[in-house]
Amino acid sequence: MSRGVPAVEEEDGEPEGPEQSVSAPAMQEGPERELSHEEFDPKGTLALILMYFTILVVMWVFMYFIEFLGNDLVVVG
Amino acid sequence: MSVERETFADRYPEEAELVRRSFLVAFTALGLGALFGIIQALHRTNVLRFIPSTDYYTVLTAHGVLLVIVFTIFYLVGLYQWAVTRSLDRSPTNINFTRAWLTLMTIGSVITGLTILLGFVDQIGISADVLFTFYAPLQAHPLFYTGLVVFIIGTWLAGVDWFRTWLHWKQDNPDERIPLQTFMVLTTMIMWYVATIGVAIAVLFFLLPWSLGLIETVNPLLTRTLFWFFGHPVVYFWLLPAYMLWYTVLPKLAGGRLFSDPLARVVFVLFVLLSTPVGIHHQYVDPGIAEGFKFIAMTNTMFLLLPSLLTAFTVVASMEHGARQRGGEGLFRWLTALPWRDPAFTGMALAGLMFAAGGFSGMINAGMNINYLVHNTIWVPGHFHLTVGTAVALTMMAGTYWLWPQLTNRRLYSRPIGLLQVVMWFGGMALMSNSMHVAGLYGVPRRTAEPQYAGFDFQTAFGSIAELNVQLAVGGTLLFVSTLLFLGNLALSLGNPKVDGLGQTLPEPLSGPDDSPRVLDNMKLWAGIALVLVLLAYALPLGAIVQNGGLFGTGGDAYPVSVLGRFDPGVGLDAVRELLGVGR
Ligand code: HEM
Ligand SMILES: [Cu+2]
């Protein structure tokens, strides 16, 4: 039996730490440590979102100036 | 068996049966829809043609309706039934009522689905090639609208069921906050009630009587506007079940906890408030609606970026929390600490990534001026295959990998195949939607079997139309194979033996519901404000449309896709006709 689904019952019915997903492979490692709200600082998330935002703005500007203004008007009036 | 490992199917066998049943309908629709999808992809690109081009609209209608009405919504009701039961830890007040609405929805879908598919059989004389945006002047057989009505009533009763279960729970737990998943279900349903006002009026007062021959003409602009009143919020009806999985299940899969329960609630409330008063942004090129109203719709639309950005932040932060708990370090290196070999996780994460890309094309669609560039080109299907076709559909498939074992007490047949399946969907969609977006910029139209105009060359900046066609065909094929893998994997799972202990719990959020103001749980308030906003956005434009064109307007002669006139009494359906009092 895989580790996601323990073959034996836990003594007190309390699983140790967060349980694993049923859809994860058996040898997948579980969490190593607990991070509380205070200890956790999502700086990676911030970086990713800022990157996404920059891409959005650049692409929008590109579309607007190259594709839209660069073409003849399609709809008039 | 410890209580923690008890599955949903152990604890709620009857409810689990109903969830499985709604998933069964959903996945049947998905399989058929994918079949029609690949037919379109190969036909449009001239790679392989085995249907006459005149049947293309039948295929396209079946593809659209089966996927965005039947697949997504049946998955939604199954998921929501699971979520309400699980999070309130309580059975429906009367499970026969639950059975009844699911049956109604199923009957409605079968009627509508068959009416569309009968379009392939010319002899019978029934068809409904009106696409999933079924407004005038395209007209379907009355059975198409009848099935829709039955289906929608079923969804309304589903909402009643969930509200009732919640109210009973509240009597027993007067001081507790609404559990997050139930909160999501209730807010989604409020949005649905508001949104379906438009489509109910359009169908009951205009389209159905018109198809029955009771009224001669309809005002096409009016039915279009009523359709889009519903047609925009319905996209959030598809999306919100995916959001529920992202907010409540994905953090667990990532090995962490939801970053913030209050933020999740705010996002769902924002969707209730903001999703309906924007539908006119689908009508930027419709004559007959003043520019000012279109501008207001555009401004409202831009506000909808807010809940999406909040979601991006909260969901990614929850994944990051999981990654850091699993030992992830650095500004970006934590990404490698995520459980990429879990198909449920990877499917949802890739779906979220594609949604971010869809956010870009959505912004282009939303802009009143730049929309002209892409309007009615294949760019638009490119956009919504990223959003509903991937963010929603792939999340639903991925979620199934996690949910299915708990609904059946059987393990998944194969996790590696599941992983291959979600990655293949991502790759296939990257190709297909990329080619659709680019081809759209060159002006290639959507919704046609013959996208090449005679005597006209599409100018491409680089590459060629032929190359884009190959991309579209290969992408579509990968998607089709991916669907088969998904369905096959599930079917084979049913052959696995039943085992104990597949149950799963969902971790508490890092910041819990008590950190949020209680007013968030005031459903009446949000419903009230939503209605006022809708009134503000729609009263004037609808008034103007009716004033200019009349309720039953002009120019509403049917484009003859309905063949009621050639109805062959020999087929035995004349009884139905009698019953409906039809006769022209
Ligand atoms: C096997 C995977 C799929 C393939 C190969 C595929 C292919 C296509 C193609 C080529 C079109 C454009 C047809 C045209 O405008 O001429 C289209 C339209 C569409 N697709 Fe898909 N698709 C797939 C999956 C999905 C999924 C999962 C959804 C939604 C859940 C979806 C929803 C739609 C909708 C709503 C339309 C527009 C129908 C209309 O214009 O009325 N598709 N699809
Ligand atoms: Cu919209």
Side-chain angles (χ1 to χ4, degrees):
Chain A
M1 244 192 203
S2 74
R3 243 192 48 205
V5 186
V8 288
E9 290 177 30
E10 261 92 14
E11 304 272 284
D12 53 359
E14 268 302 296
E16 297 160 35
E19 78 208 355
Q20 235 197 309
S21 142
V22 259
S23 44
M27 64 292 184
Q28 189 157 301
E29 343 70 59
E32 298 180 352
R33 58 179 176 204
E34 278 272 348
L35 274 183
S36 71
H37 200 352
E38 287 70 38
E39 291 161 315
F40 174 53
D41 175 20
K43 55 183 196 299
T45 301
L46 188 67
L48 284 180
I49 303 258
L50 287 178
M51 247 167 62
Y52 173 62
F53 216 72
T54 317
I55 296 174
L56 268 192
V57 171
V58 171
M59 281 173 70
W60 195 87
V61 170
F62 176 78
M63 280 285 289
Y64 195 84
F65 285 99
I66 312 283
E67 290 284 357
F68 185 61
L69 296 183
N71 280 316
D72 290 340
L73 280 185
V74 190
V75 179
V76 185
Chain B
M1 191 197 317
S2 68
V3 182
E4 271 76 15
R5 303 303 185 192
E6 188 184 39
T7 61
F8 185 73
D10 295 329
R11 190 161 173 77
Y12 293 105
E14 287 183 299
E15 289 78 358
E17 156 80 32
L18 288 174
V19 178
R20 289 198 300 269
R21 217 184 282 171
S22 41
F23 281 9
L24 181 73
V25 182
F27 297 147
T28 310
L30 174 65
L32 281 171
L35 176 66
F36 293 126
I38 190 172
I39 294 176
Q40 288 162 193
L42 299 180
H43 193 98
R44 271 189 71 100
T45 53
N46 222 345
V47 171
L48 174 68
R49 296 191 156 197
F50 53 87
I51 55 157
S53 285
T54 45
D55 275 346
Y56 193 79
Y57 256 31
T58 308
V59 173
L60 193 55
T61 306
H63 179 73
V65 170
L66 286 174
L67 286 168
V68 296
I69 309 280
V70 183
F71 162 57
T72 49
I73 298 185
F74 272 87
Y75 192 94
L76 176 146
V77 295
L79 183 78
Y80 277 17
Q81 187 60 51
W82 165 77
V84 168
T85 313
R86 195 205 68 86
S87 65
L88 297 178
D89 199 5
R90 177 179 200 114
S91 290
T93 312
N94 174 357
I95 191 137
N96 284 327
F97 185 72
T98 314
R99 290 206 178 88
W101 60 251
L102 187 57
T103 310
L104 265 187
M105 282 177 62
T106 312
I107 293 174
S109 317
V110 169
I111 295 176
T112 296
L114 282 180
T115 313
I116 299 170
L117 295 181
L118 283 177
F120 287 118
V121 195
D122 290 340
Q123 292 82 347
I124 298 183
I126 292 183
S127 73
D129 301 342
V130 291
L131 309 174
F132 85 102
T133 52
F134 42 82
Y135 40 66
L138 294 186
Q139 189 191 60
H141 190 276
L143 282 176
F144 174 86
Y145 304 112
T146 311
L148 273 183
V149 170
V150 174
F151 172 82
I152 289 182
I153 292 176
T155 62
W156 286 346
L157 297 180
V160 169
D161 197 12
W162 297 326
F163 269 97
R164 215 157 58 132
T165 312
W166 165 61
L167 288 173
H168 281 130
W169 173 88
K170 207 165 114 173
Q171 280 168 6
D172 298 342
N173 304 275
D175 297 322
E176 271 187 57
R177 299 302 297 263
I178 308 176
L180 182 58
Q181 285 190 324
T182 301
F183 183 90
M184 293 173 161
V185 169
L186 300 180
T187 40
T188 309
M189 292 316 288
I190 291 178
M191 185 199 80
W192 183 242
Y193 286 122
V194 175
T196 43
I197 296 172
V199 73
I201 296 176
V203 170
L204 286 176
F205 293 106
F206 299 103
L207 300 175
L208 186 56
W210 179 54
S211 71
L212 287 168
L214 301 176
I215 50 177
E216 273 306 304
T217 54
V218 294
N219 179 341
L221 184 58
L222 183 59
T223 67
R224 274 175 76 90
T225 309
L226 287 172
F227 177 87
W228 287 120
F229 176 104
F230 150 86
H232 187 79
V234 74
V235 309
Y236 298 113
F237 200 53
W238 305 328
L239 187 65
L240 292 181
Y243 271 25
M244 173 191 278
L245 288 169
W246 292 355
Y247 276 111
T248 64
V249 175
L250 186 59
K252 186 244 167 59
L253 298 175
R257 290 158 66 186
L258 171 60
F259 186 63
S260 163
D261 169 303
L263 270 180
R265 285 179 204 246
V266 168
V267 165
F268 274 69
V269 166
L270 283 174
F271 278 120
V272 174
L273 300 184
L274 301 175
S275 64
T276 316
V278 299
I280 288 178
H281 69 206
H282 292 258
Q283 299 177 281
Y284 288 148
V285 301
D286 275 24
I289 298 179
E291 295 282 291
F293 296 138
K294 294 177 181 172
F295 191 81
I296 291 172
M298 174 172 83
T299 317
N300 291 350
T301 305
M302 296 306 174
F303 280 115
L304 272 165
L305 284 175
L306 187 66
S308 302
L309 284 175
L310 281 178
T311 300
F313 178 77
T314 316
V315 171
V316 177
S318 308
M319 292 206 286
E320 183 179 351
H321 180 251
R324 300 219 183 268
Q325 291 207 137
R326 302 162 67 95
E329 298 289 345
L331 198 57
F332 295 116
R333 261 181 307 127
W334 55 272
L335 285 166
T336 58
L338 288 167
W340 292 109
R341 300 176 63 165
D342 181 345
F345 171 81
T346 302
M348 287 191 207
L350 293 179
L353 190 60
M354 283 244 154
F355 192 55
F360 170 69
S361 44
M363 269 174 53
I364 300 295
N365 298 343
M368 218 172 127
N369 47 4
I370 204 164
N371 177 294
Y372 295 161
L373 186 63
V374 294
H375 203 89
N376 279 346
T377 68
I378 196 150
W379 162 289
V380 174
H383 163 71
F384 61 65
H385 280 90
L386 293 179
T387 51
V388 64
T390 301
V392 174
L394 186 55
T395 299
M396 288 179 171
M397 290 187 267
T400 309
Y401 288 135
W402 181 78
L403 211 52
W404 194 249
Q406 305 174 65
L407 293 171
T408 57
N409 282 334
R410 297 172 204 270
R411 286 173 202 288
L412 209 57
Y413 174 73
S414 164
R415 283 164 181 150
I417 293 182
L419 195 57
L420 176 69
Q421 186 262 320
V422 296
V423 172
M424 197 185 257
W425 189 279
F426 184 82
M429 200 55 96
L431 289 176
M432 187 171 97
S433 92
N434 176 58
S435 65
M436 285 174 158
H437 279 103
V438 177
L441 289 180
Y442 298 143
V444 176
R446 66 185 284 204
R447 290 182 159 175
T448 168
E450 317 283 348
Q452 277 285 11
Y453 298 111
F456 179 86
D457 261 343
F458 290 106
Q459 298 289 322
T460 60
F462 52 85
S464 67
I465 290 287
E467 193 184 302
L468 292 174
N469 279 343
V470 170
Q471 251 191 61
L472 201 159
V474 172
T477 308
L478 286 176
L479 287 168
F480 180 68
V481 175
S482 171
T483 314
L484 293 184
L485 288 180
F486 171 73
L487 296 175
N489 206 350
L490 277 198
L492 288 172
S493 304
L494 288 176
N496 273 347
K498 290 205 174 190
V499 291
D500 273 345
L502 294 172
Q504 299 261 290
T505 52
L506 295 176
E508 290 296 310
L510 280 176
S511 153
D514 296 328
D515 298 341
S516 71
R518 282 209 162 246
V519 62
L520 276 179
D521 285 9
N522 188 340
M523 294 292 154
K524 281 194 195 126
L525 176 70
W526 304 125
I529 301 182
L531 283 172
V532 171
L533 290 178
V534 166
L535 216 65
L536 285 177
Y538 269 102
L540 290 175
L542 280 175
I545 289 167
V546 172
Q547 204 171 22
N548 292 336
L551 260 190
F552 298 102
T554 43
D557 279 341
Y559 180 80
V561 290
S562 165
V563 277
L564 198 61
R566 301 201 267 112
F567 195 78
D568 181 356
V571 208
L573 280 169
D574 49 342
V576 179
R577 232 180 120 201
E578 292 272 358
L579 203 69
L580 298 170
V582 195
R584 278 195 181 171

